[in-house]
Amino acid sequence: MGVTVAGNGTKGESNVQLNHPWGIFIDTKNDDLYVTDSYNHRVQKFTSSSNIGTKVAGGHGYGSDSTQLSYPYD
């Protein structure tokens, strides 16, 4: 049986939602999960104790400015 560890299962842009999550990275030292949230143009971090994400990169719309990402995928 699966367990939800990131997001809430519905597409969206709030800190508990993802929109086309593409890639993941697991920080085994801190038990954190990083998810590239492609259609929200951001990278979200999820701790092992919560399915509420924290934006760590992007999230300011599509673009090439220093605070923006363009469909991150890995």
Side-chain angles (χ1 to χ4, degrees):
M1 180 166 60
V3 175
T4 300
V5 296
N8 67 0
T10 61
K11 179 172 57 171
E13 59 186 44
S14 78
N15 60 350
V16 296
Q17 296 174 304
L18 298 167
N19 189 354
H20 285 82
W22 198 265
I24 63 167
F25 171 78
I26 299 172
D27 177 356
T28 56
K29 181 177 180 183
N30 297 310
D31 289 331
D32 294 330
L33 171 69
Y34 293 83
V35 179
T36 54
D37 189 9
S38 189
Y39 283 21
N40 284 324
H41 311 288
R42 66 184 178 185
V43 176
Q44 291 281 86
K45 174 180 138 181
F46 296 88
T47 65
S48 61
S49 61
S50 177
N51 70 333
I52 299 172
T54 302
K55 178 177 55 178
V56 295
H60 300 279
Y62 168 87
S64 59
D65 187 62
S66 64
T67 62
Q68 297 175 308
L69 296 174
S70 176
Y71 300 103
Y73 63 89
D74 203 14

